[in-house]
Each structure stands twice: as structure tokens, then as C-alpha cells.
Amino acid sequence: MAARRRASGRPAEEVLRECAHDVVDVAEGIREVCARTSSVLFAPALTASARRRPRTGCAARWALLRALTDRQGLGGAAVVAPDGVGRLLGAAGEALGRESLAAQVAVVSLRLRIAAVLLGHPEFAQDPGMRRLRAAVGAAPDSEAVRALRALLKDRDARRSLAGPTPVLTELLAVHGLLGEDPVSDETAWALAAGRELAADPARRVSAAHPRAPGAPDGAVRAVEPSAREAGGFAVEGSLLAFLRGLDSLEAEDRVLIQEVRGPDGVLRYVVQAPGTTPGRPRGCVPPDFADAWRDLFTTDSPYSRSILLAIRHHGVPRGADLALLGHGEGGTALLNLAADEEFCRAYRVTHVVTVGAPAGRREPADPRTWLAAVTNRHDIVPSADGPAAAVRGPHPNRYRADYTGPDSEFPRSHLLSVYIGHLETVVPRAARDVDAALTRYRGPVERSRVYRLGARARPPEGHPLLTVPTTTVPTSAGPVDVPVRFYDSSAAHLCYPVDPGVARSLLPDLDWLVPTRLGRRALAVLSLYEHRCTTIGPYTELGLSVLVDDPWRPHPYGLAGDLLRRVDLRRTGRYVVALAVGTREARAVAEEVWAQPAVHAAAEVSLQGRELRAEAPELGLSVAGPAGPGVRCPEADWVLYGRRGDSTVRTLVRSDGRPRVHTRPRVRVRLGAVHGPLARHVQILELDTVRPGFVLTSPRFMAHRSAGAQLPR
């Protein structure tokens, strides 16, 4: 591989992606051979020949059957004939633990693609979906990896996390089709198979200009009034950066902005702006399903594209009007879907398409006059989802690509639209000038702006009813944040240690009234491990150390038992957070500025969904590993958290909804290496690495929200 890289002069990850593409093509070729062999095996002519000449005809059929089912041939599950006998033989092969050669080769392709992603972006190894994929495809032999991957793709609970690793979507698409799933019984498989078929044959695409009827499950829009913050960010004069800032000001990802611009020639033109999705953050009512992100890449008929089309029609854009389409991430992909549809381009004149951080796929605008621009940061792994082949295009007078290397390589930050805007102002200002020059006819006053909320199938909002709460915006050094902060998909483990009250008191601020709660003769220290996969401030890991403390006004040595019977908002005791380590800068800003908790930014790998609890924080010199042991259900783990800001105490409420369990005989151990940072030092002071926790509270999957910190005069 190194020799090939030196010979080609290309990055190793690009060579790996090409190899993955070649290998999956081989797997699809094997699958086609299986299909042709199966069709011959069950062909009526061969069946009639076997009846007329049993000696030669039966021998031929037996040879074909062995080629299909033998371990040294195409694999035990390679029979793809649709009749009952073929299905029975295929099911028998799977029951015997065999997997088709095509599926095993496809898993090799997936391994290559994962290696390419991790080579260029090692931080992506922390993504929950990537970890689950690596565990599945890392099984040996290959047949076990195929079965593990098939089970993972059938797990509905895993689909949210699997939607995260966008750079491996194309390989997952091909592998899923090669696993022999039944597309009728599995909506995801149907979407993936349909996406590949439609991408291969553009003539069979479902026209985006003919969306489903208003009563259809997905495809509804309604005009909404923008908030004052949103309206304040909308462009008043046409330019690329002004349009992008307006798009970034949209407070929800289920909205589309349409603006009417009076050009220099006096003609009224329309700019359609579609947002993308931030990995690890919740979406609104636009379908966030595992299949839809793939469907957007491979077919023009997707719920997002249909909803944008309905918004254009609802706005009253006249036929033949000039349209400029501008989108970020998945929004850019959906707009490319529309621009690639011939019916849509006959209805409207798509003059420009500008995408930022969006995978382009193999689609081209249906109108050759359409000017297409793509702005991509090489550290952003989302645009690489369609592989290197999509970026290899011949010269074209109406194509412009700004592919640059930004100063910040951390994902998902490198995909944020606000980061792209900053780069266009400072890193690649020439790209902004070039796109503005192409958009000259849209450089005029904005006469009207309208926001449309996209709808999907009728269902309650995500996280309802716990997370459907009123919110307010709080400014932080990392940008505005909506509070309460909502956690849509998280895991947690709280390791509870009885500790010496005097030692615990030494970790608290020097205040007479702030004392640890007594449990008999001991205080309680809690080491909390969190894996937040989907939150309103993005995905991150969190390690925290806290001490249970009494009511700041009326300390009572044994008031905890009665306090636990109260609702969380009426409790007086709580956990004082003495140290915190979080995985992103945004989470650190929120912890320090909203909740008044002392936080540091440190990468950690946390896995809390299996029998073993595991956390690794090399930067801190701290690790946690071991089984939690048998457990029983317990009430929801709602908490009161205390912090300190200046001369005031800050009180934060945490409400949660999951299935917590208490484990009274845990075998989890904390290990310390070269200690760095206050969290590991406090663990060392409390000597938590020398004992096992008294008990452990676990929540493998839960939702929660944390309120803004209330400042107390104490």
C-alpha cells in the first residue's frame, strides 16, 4: 500500500477508498454470477432436459447447485431464485452458518472504507456508529462478520447511531444489498435497493416535480413566522455570505428559507436555501431515518426533496422563474436532487446551485446551463460519502469547486455551516468572491423572505413528552445555546463510592455551610460516565466527579432519605460537581458558563451499552473497566447539580427518562496512570482507584434535559 501511494503520489486514504470501491464492484459481479447461475439452475428448459435425459441433465443441475452452495464455490446462501425451492436452499445455507461469497467480499470492502476514514480522521473512532460497525465487521472469519453486520442493520435501535458514519454510507449501501435481505419486509433495504437501482438507471427516477398527494405520509409544508433572531440574520442584500448567514440563522433543521431578490436588471428572482443536519443533533419532523440519508445520495425521489418542492410551490414561484439553489450538507444534496430532475428544470430555470459541505454523488444538473459550485473542507468527512469517483470530473465551463484544507480538523465541528462561513471570510476568500461573481444577477435587494417548515409522517415530536419543553436561548463563548439542553440518546453509569467525609470536604469550596451529606459515617462520591450520542449541543462524552451535599440553607446530617421522596425540583440535597471532562469545546462552554461546573476539554472513549462498562481518557491518565454485575430496576435517576460562580451557588435540575438499574455487587475498577487534570487528581485524592464502588447506577439508553443554572444568593 505504501509503495502504491508513493507511485501514485496520492494520499493513502484516497487509495483505500478506491480499493474499497473496486472490491465492492467485484462483490456485485459475484452477486450477478449467482443470479445468472440460479436462473439457469431453475430454468424450465434445464428442468425439461433433466426429465428427458436424467443422466446428463441431473448431473448438470447438481454441478450448478454445488457451485452455488459449496463453501469452495459461491457460498451456502448464494441461491437467489425467487421460487420456493430457491428460498429454501438459501435459508438452509444460512441455517448451516454459511454466507455467500459476495457478502463476504463486500465486508472486505467495508473494512477498507472504515480504514480509509480512520486514517484521515482518527477522532472519528469515537463515533458510536463507527464503533458498532468496527465491532461487527471485525469478527473473524468473514462469515461471522456478515452475520454480525446483518444483525446490526436489522436492529432499529442502532439506526440512529449508524446514520452518523456518513463516509461509509456507499459501502454500507452496497453491502446491505449483498446480504440477501428481503426488500419487501424491510423498509431500509427497500430504500437502499431502490436508491442503487435508480442511480444506475436515471430514466427510472421518480420525478421530483410530481410529489405525493397532500395526504401522503411524507411531503407537507407550512409557512411559519421566523423568530426575531432568525429574521435578524436573513440577507437584506444578495451575496453568498449573506445567504449563508441567513441559512445559519435558522433555529431548526426542518425549515427552508425562500427569498425574492430584485436583480440589477430589475428582474425578480428566487433563492431557495436548505439547511443540512449536524451529526449527533436531533432533527425536527423531517424524516431522520437511517435509509433517508442514503436515499438522498442515490435518487431524486426523497422526502426532503419532495418537501422542498412543495415549499417552492407553496411560495408561489411562477413557472419559468429563475431559481438559485443554495444548501448545506444534506440540504445541498436534496437541492442537487431537484436540479438533476428534468421535470423540475422544465418547470423552473435553475440558474445556479451552490452546495457547502455536501456530497455531490454522481448527479449532474438536468439543464447544462446550470452553474454548479461546491465548497468542501477536506477535514469535513461528510462530502466524502460518495467516494473519490464523484470528485473526478472533466473540465466544464459551468462547474466550480473550492476544495481546501481548513485549520480545524475536528469532526463534527469541521462540518458546521458557521465554520464554513468563517473559512470563506478568512481562509478561502477568493472562493467567496468567485461565487459572488457568478451570482451577479442575484446581487440586489431582498424584497421578501419566507420560512417554511417541512413536515413528515404524522407522529409526535422526537422525545415527546419529556423533551417537548419551552426553551430559551443563552449566549456562550461557543455560540448561542438553547436551554434546557436536551439529550435525545445517551448512556450513563454512575459509580458511587462511600468516602471519608473530611477528604470529600477538602474538595469542596471553603464555605462553612457547604458540607457533604452523611450516609452513616461516610460521604458519597459519584464518578459519572456519559456517552451522549444525540443532543442539542452535539455528540460528546462526559466524565464527572461529584460529591453529595446537604441543603445550602438547612444542612441536615441525615436528610437525604426524605429528600429522595420529593420531586427533583423540590429537593434540597444535590451533587456538587468538583471536576468535569467533556469531549467538545461547545460542551465545555455550556458546562462552565451555563451550569457553573469546572470543566476541561479532553477526548475520551466511553462504552456503556454492553455487559462491560468501559471508559478510556488517555489525556487524563484515567480508565474505567469491568462488569457492573447483576442489577435490578430502580426509580429514574433525576438529579440536582450544584456549581459555583463567584459568590453565588448555581443549581441545575436534571430530569431523565430511561430504564435505570442499580447494581449492588459491581466489579468495576478505576485505574490511574500518569495523572493529568483536576478530575484524575481528585480521584487520586479520594483513592477511588484502590476500591470498588459501593454500588453502580446504569442507564444503557435514556433521554434527559438539563435546565439552565439558577443562581442562588448563597
Side-chain angles (χ1 to χ4, degrees), residues 393-467:
R393 296 190 180 103
H396 195 291
N398 290 336
R399 301 294 177 267
Y400 180 85
R401 179 155 190 166
D403 188 25
Y404 67 96
T405 302
D408 192 348
S409 62
E410 183 182 355
F411 184 85
R413 178 175 174 79
S414 58
H415 181 62
L416 298 180
L417 180 56
S418 58
V419 172
Y420 270 103
I421 294 173
H423 291 170
L424 286 168
E425 292 176 326
T426 58
V427 180
V428 283
R430 180 178 177 181
R433 292 193 298 268
D434 292 344
V435 177
D436 268 336
L439 291 171
T440 300
R441 67 185 75 179
Y442 293 90
R443 293 184 63 84
V446 176
E447 296 190 354
R448 184 186 178 209
S449 300
R450 199 70 170 141
V451 176
Y452 295 91
R453 185 174 184 180
L454 309 182
R457 56 185 61 89
R459 58 186 177 188
E462 192 171 6
H464 180 77
L466 177 70
L467 302 185

Side-chain angles (χ1 to χ4, degrees), residues 344-610:
F344 180 79
C345 291
R346 280 196 288 267
Y348 309 101
R349 183 167 181 249
V350 181
T351 61
H352 298 76
V353 179
V354 180
T355 65
V356 176
R362 292 176 172 84
R363 60 182 58 77
E364 288 285 340
D367 188 344
R369 299 171 296 176
T370 300
W371 192 81
L372 174 61
V375 180
T376 55
N377 176 5
R378 290 174 185 169
H379 290 313
D380 180 6
I381 56 182
V382 172
S384 67
D386 50 356
V392 181
R393 296 190 180 103
H396 195 291
N398 290 336
R399 301 294 177 267
Y400 180 85
R401 179 155 190 166
D403 188 25
Y404 67 96
T405 302
D408 192 348
S409 62
E410 183 182 355
F411 184 85
R413 178 175 174 79
S414 58
H415 181 62
L416 298 180
L417 180 56
S418 58
V419 172
Y420 270 103
I421 294 173
H423 291 170
L424 286 168
E425 292 176 326
T426 58
V427 180
V428 283
R430 180 178 177 181
R433 292 193 298 268
D434 292 344
V435 177
D436 268 336
L439 291 171
T440 300
R441 67 185 75 179
Y442 293 90
R443 293 184 63 84
V446 176
E447 296 190 354
R448 184 186 178 209
S449 300
R450 199 70 170 141
V451 176
Y452 295 91
R453 185 174 184 180
L454 309 182
R457 56 185 61 89
R459 58 186 177 188
E462 192 171 6
H464 180 77
L466 177 70
L467 302 185
T468 49
V469 294
T471 62
T472 185
T473 301
V474 175
T476 70
S477 59
V481 173
D482 289 339
V483 292
V485 176
R486 283 144 290 155
F487 300 83
Y488 289 80
D489 185 13
S490 299
S491 299
H494 305 281
L495 283 59
C496 303
Y497 295 85
V499 296
D500 182 84
V503 179
R505 179 66 184 83
S506 68
L507 303 182
L508 301 175
D510 190 15
L511 300 169
D512 295 338
W513 49 266
L514 191 60
V515 295
T517 297
R518 293 290 188 96
L519 299 174
R521 297 183 178 181
R522 309 288 283 177
L524 189 69
V526 182
L527 179 61
S528 300
L529 316 174
Y530 293 95
E531 182 185 36
H532 300 303
R533 292 176 289 273
C534 181
T535 81
T536 51
I537 57 174
Y540 69 99
T541 55
E542 178 181 353
L543 308 180
L545 181 65
S546 57
V547 174
L548 200 65
V549 295
D550 286 337
D551 180 2
W553 276 273
R554 292 180 292 179
H556 192 283
Y558 301 100
L560 175 63
D563 212 27
L564 289 176
L565 300 177
R566 301 186 180 98
R567 295 190 333 236
V568 64
D569 53 332
L570 299 179
R571 292 179 193 168
R572 297 180 174 88
T573 58
R575 290 161 46 204
Y576 189 94
V577 180
V578 298
L580 195 67
V582 293
T584 64
R585 298 184 182 93
E586 291 79 3
R588 178 183 179 182
V590 173
E592 291 185 333
E593 301 170 29
V594 178
W595 301 321
Q597 298 171 0
V600 297
H601 177 212
E605 182 175 345
V606 179
S607 178
L608 307 174
Q609 292 184 292

Side-chain angles (χ1 to χ4, degrees), residues 102-354:
Q104 295 183 53
V105 173
V107 167
V108 174
S109 168
L110 187 55
R111 288 171 178 161
L112 288 170
R113 183 66 171 205
I114 291 174
V117 171
L118 296 182
L119 185 63
H121 294 270
E123 77 281 357
F124 206 66
Q126 309 301 325
D127 182 87
M130 185 66 82
R131 289 209 306 269
R132 300 187 74 171
L133 273 177
R134 291 175 69 189
V137 303
D142 289 341
S143 58
E144 293 182 7
V146 173
R147 288 192 289 274
L149 184 60
R150 180 183 285 112
L152 183 63
L153 292 173
K154 287 181 177 179
D155 183 5
R156 293 186 178 274
D157 290 337
R159 290 184 183 177
R160 179 195 297 279
S161 60
L162 285 178
T166 52
V168 297
L169 287 182
T170 48
E171 264 64 37
L172 274 173
L173 170 76
V175 170
H176 195 291
L178 291 164
L179 293 182
E181 302 294 333
D182 182 4
V184 176
S185 61
D186 188 341
E187 178 185 358
T188 301
W190 176 88
L192 302 183
R196 184 173 66 252
E197 184 180 60
L198 292 169
D201 186 2
R204 298 185 62 186
R205 292 176 178 170
V206 179
S207 173
H210 296 89
R212 298 182 181 180
D218 49 0
V221 298
R222 63 184 179 90
V224 295
E225 288 298 324
S227 66
R229 175 170 167 259
E230 286 179 319
F234 292 167
V236 295
E237 189 78 17
S239 72
L240 173 65
L241 290 176
F243 290 139
L244 290 179
R245 292 191 189 99
L247 185 58
D248 192 42
S249 69
L250 293 176
E251 295 176 350
E253 295 171 334
D254 59 344
R255 300 187 176 194
V256 167
L257 174 62
I258 299 180
Q259 293 185 296
E260 301 177 8
V261 182
R262 184 72 63 178
D265 54 359
V267 176
L268 190 65
R269 297 182 174 88
Y270 301 84
V271 181
V272 181
Q273 301 159 57
T277 56
T278 302
R281 301 192 189 215
R283 291 188 63 172
C285 56
V286 178
D289 293 344
F290 177 50
D292 289 329
W294 285 345
R295 195 188 307 180
D296 280 342
L297 282 175
F298 293 94
T299 175
T300 61
D301 180 43
S302 70
Y304 199 1
S305 299
R306 287 195 296 270
S307 297
I308 294 174
L309 177 61
L310 288 175
I312 294 173
R313 290 186 168 181
H314 195 286
H315 190 81
V317 178
R319 292 180 66 87
D322 287 356
L323 279 181
L325 310 179
L326 189 147
H328 167 245
E330 187 183 349
T333 305
L335 292 176
L336 280 168
N337 288 341
L338 291 179
D341 187 84
E342 296 180 359
E343 291 293 329
F344 180 79
C345 291
R346 280 196 288 267
Y348 309 101
R349 183 167 181 249
V350 181
T351 61
H352 298 76
V353 179
V354 180

